[in-house]
Amino acid sequence: MNTPINDLILSYAGSSPARFHMPGHKGRPLPGAEACDITEFDGADELYRARGVIAESEENAGRLFGCRTFYSAEGSSLCIRAMLYLTAMDAAAKGRGRARILAGRNAHKTFINTAAMLGIDVDWIRPENEGSLFSCGVTAQTLEAALSSAPYKPDAVYLTSPDYLGNILDVSPLSELCAGNGILLLVDCAHGAYLRFLTRSLYPTDLGADMCCSSAHKTLPVLTGGAYLHLSPRLPGFFARRAEEAMAFFGSTSPSYLILRSLDLANPYLETFSDRLAAFLPRAESLKKRLAQAGWTLAGDEPMKLTVLTKPRGYTGSELAAYMKSRGVICEFYDPDTAVFMLSCQNSGEELSRLESAFLSAEERPPLSGSPPRFILPERAMSAREALFSDSETLPVRSCLGRVLSSACVSCPPAVPIVTCGEIIGENSIECLEYYGTEECRVVSRAAQNSP
Ligand SMILES: Cc1ncc(COP(=O)(O)O)c(C=O)c1O
């Protein structure tokens, strides 16, 4: 029997690629595998009823992040589900019935699917002048306007910061606004675990957010799947008391101890991480400066992400990614306009030099024209939950005009849906879907769409 996954991994690792993609350990060895792969036997604690070694390790992480910490061995995805469930539980406990959330439109598909499953009503914030579909530059003014035009007071505001392209929201005024209105602020900080360790922390819970998730595996030396659910110490005890229950509701009953161990081992690493990061950041900054001087257009505010707008230099994102790959440099993400490289303190000096020299020796080309279609928020025909559980069919994108999306069709990365469940697929949606390479959509069947 062949072993195609193993073969691919060994061949990739054997080619010594310069990894500018997740996970944050960049292929540098972490402690070994099978001998350490255990289960929740007596004495090894239980992830979702942590009273022993897991609780102790979570407390260590909590001290480092200044929050109540719960480990996830299933990424930020699990933490997002738990944040929504906690919000729904809180709304129910307060007698508010079904929870309602006002969310930045660039939400990860996990948010959309979970809200639909839990029957949470979502209203979208989409600033008018927003260029990219994957960003949502919510400011205090935008949020204030969205709150005052919403027909109801939401239970929570949900934002993504940093986004996939490296844009960071100014969370402090947003959290003040939420707190002033008695609304929870939840932040998807999957890409920003390291922000806590900057000289001036930009971590959401330090800036007033009530809950956030962060994928330790994306930016720290942690195995894929390792993530944190963080609760602000300011939150009422209700949330900490129910958090394990919320994680357990969605999580596997066989959490990986390899991942838990790597989260545990990250704690002593994080004790001195601020110094390491402070030493690395000037190198990242000067690298960006040299690339900009060489004519590359960079975007985003994240210090550890290199987001390149490729068309001004005559490349599509995919052409640049292919060229970089031919030079042994692997990016995290590309689309027609962009290529994203994730830097980490684990990247060696040789890897950074390889990245730079590949950029600096790229062929000079005339700029390419063309920009992404302007995104128009689709209209809603039915609730997301109704659409998700309707009879449905899969159709080529071109045949979906006027149909209602049943389940989010989206590729990962960046897993930001163009249309969400229950929305009508219009001309603009089709243009955007085609631009980003989506070929098919799952739509509500005609009979279900027309039934009263
Ligand atoms: C913005 C954002 N949120 C959440 C997630 C999910 O994180 P994880 O892969 O750790 O489950 C991702 C994944 O890339 C993401 O980009």
Side-chain angles (χ1 to χ4, degrees):
M1 187 75 76
N2 69 349
T3 53
I5 298 175
N6 183 51
D7 297 351
L8 176 280
I9 292 172
L10 293 187
S11 145
Y12 180 68
S15 69
S16 308
R19 304 176 187 214
F20 289 97
H21 55 75
M22 306 165 190
H25 57 66
K26 305 296 175 188
R28 306 272 172 265
L30 290 171
E34 286 86 349
C36 301
D37 190 16
I38 62 166
T39 187
E40 292 171 314
F41 56 67
D42 205 14
D45 210 358
E46 254 182 71
L47 181 54
Y48 303 124
R49 220 166 56 87
R51 305 290 180 269
V53 291
I54 296 177
E56 192 179 339
S57 181
E58 286 178 335
E59 276 167 27
N60 290 341
R63 273 193 291 280
L64 290 158
F65 280 90
C67 295
R68 182 71 193 267
T69 298
F70 297 89
Y71 285 164
S72 162
E74 294 166 68
S76 279
S77 301
L78 176 60
C79 307
I80 291 170
R81 294 180 190 116
M83 288 198 289
L84 297 198
Y85 191 29
L86 282 167
T87 303
M89 286 181 192
D90 179 51
K94 290 181 172 144
R96 288 204 296 265
R98 236 169 55 196
R100 313 189 94 156
I101 297 184
L102 192 56
R105 177 65 184 200
N106 61 339
H108 189 264
K109 67 173 181 180
T110 303
F111 169 82
I112 290 153
N113 292 339
T114 310
M117 255 167 46
L118 294 176
I120 294 175
D121 288 328
V122 176
D123 276 280
W124 296 112
I125 315 173
R126 169 85 190 161
E128 257 180 29
N129 51 358
E130 186 57 72
S132 168
L133 184 70
F134 308 130
S135 299
C136 190
V138 179
T139 60
Q141 287 85 339
T142 338
L143 180 57
E144 203 158 18
L147 285 171
S148 57
S149 65
Y152 56 84
K153 177 175 148 180
D155 298 285
V157 166
Y158 179 95
L159 300 170
T160 302
S161 176
D163 64 29
Y164 223 104
L165 304 182
N167 301 298
I168 303 179
L169 297 177
D170 187 5
V171 173
S172 294
L174 300 168
S175 62
E176 272 168 35
L177 195 54
C178 288
N181 284 282
I183 299 167
L184 292 169
L185 177 61
L186 322 179
V187 179
D188 172 349
C189 184
H191 287 254
Y194 75 95
L195 297 177
R196 161 76 179 167
F197 301 92
L198 297 174
T199 311
R200 191 174 66 82
S201 168
L202 290 180
Y203 202 63
T205 44
D206 288 327
L207 305 176
D210 294 295
M211 292 190 245
C212 76
C213 62
S214 57
S215 300
H217 69 93
K218 292 193 199 300
T219 59
L220 303 176
V222 165
L223 291 178
T224 293
Y228 310 109
L229 168 64
H230 280 142
L231 305 188
S232 158
R234 294 175 299 276
L235 263 182
F238 171 87
F239 291 90
R241 282 196 301 279
R242 307 292 297 271
E244 287 181 323
E245 180 190 340
M247 296 283 270
F249 187 79
F250 298 102
S252 166
T253 48
S254 303
S256 162
Y257 270 76
L258 296 176
I259 296 173
L260 295 179
R261 183 182 184 220
S262 79
L263 284 165
D264 187 40
L265 287 169
N267 289 335
Y269 175 91
L270 290 176
E271 277 184 308
T272 55
F273 185 51
S274 296
D275 296 339
R276 222 182 285 238
L277 198 55
F280 186 89
L281 285 174
R283 291 171 70 191
E285 208 178 302
S286 61
L287 166 71
K288 289 185 187 183
K289 234 182 229 154
R290 288 192 297 279
L291 297 187
Q293 277 158 4
W296 291 96
T297 307
L298 307 183
D301 336 289
E302 239 198 275
M304 296 292 271
K305 225 176 229 165
L306 178 66
T307 303
V308 184
L309 305 181
T310 57
K311 284 185 174 162
R313 272 297 299 262
Y315 291 79
T316 61
S318 61
E319 284 167 352
L320 183 70
Y323 159 71
M324 296 300 276
K325 188 173 175 190
S326 75
R327 301 286 305 249
V329 176
I330 314 298
C331 69
E332 163 62 25
F333 164 71
Y334 60 83
D335 70 11
D337 304 86
T338 327
V340 175
F341 299 77
M342 291 176 76
L343 312 179
S344 146
C345 299
Q346 299 301 109
N347 282 122
S348 66
E350 186 281 321
E351 287 170 347
L352 292 170
S353 305
R354 207 190 305 178
L355 172 88
E356 181 170 356
S357 106
F359 268 110
L360 297 186
S361 46
E363 180 195 348
E364 293 282 343
R365 296 181 180 180
L368 293 177
S369 58
S371 47
R374 214 176 80 77
F375 168 75
I376 301 167
L377 203 60
E379 276 178 43
R380 174 162 298 285
M382 57 177 77
S383 80
R385 187 179 161 80
E386 206 180 341
L388 191 62
F389 295 106
S390 286
D391 180 44
S392 61
E393 58 184 327
T394 298
L395 295 178
V397 164
R398 265 284 133 206
S399 313
C400 291
L401 186 64
R403 303 294 294 271
V404 176
L405 193 84
S406 167
S407 94
C409 47
V410 62
S411 66
C412 188
V416 174
I418 292 164
V419 192
T420 71
C421 339
E423 288 176 343
I424 301 169
I425 303 173
E427 271 298 354
N428 173 259
S429 318
I430 291 181
E431 205 188 336
C432 294
L433 287 162
E434 287 185 335
Y435 188 80
Y436 288 108
T438 301
E439 289 169 4
E440 297 179 326
C441 291
R442 184 126 205 114
V443 294
V444 172
S445 69
R446 279 203 187 282
Q449 187 172 336
N450 295 332
S451 73

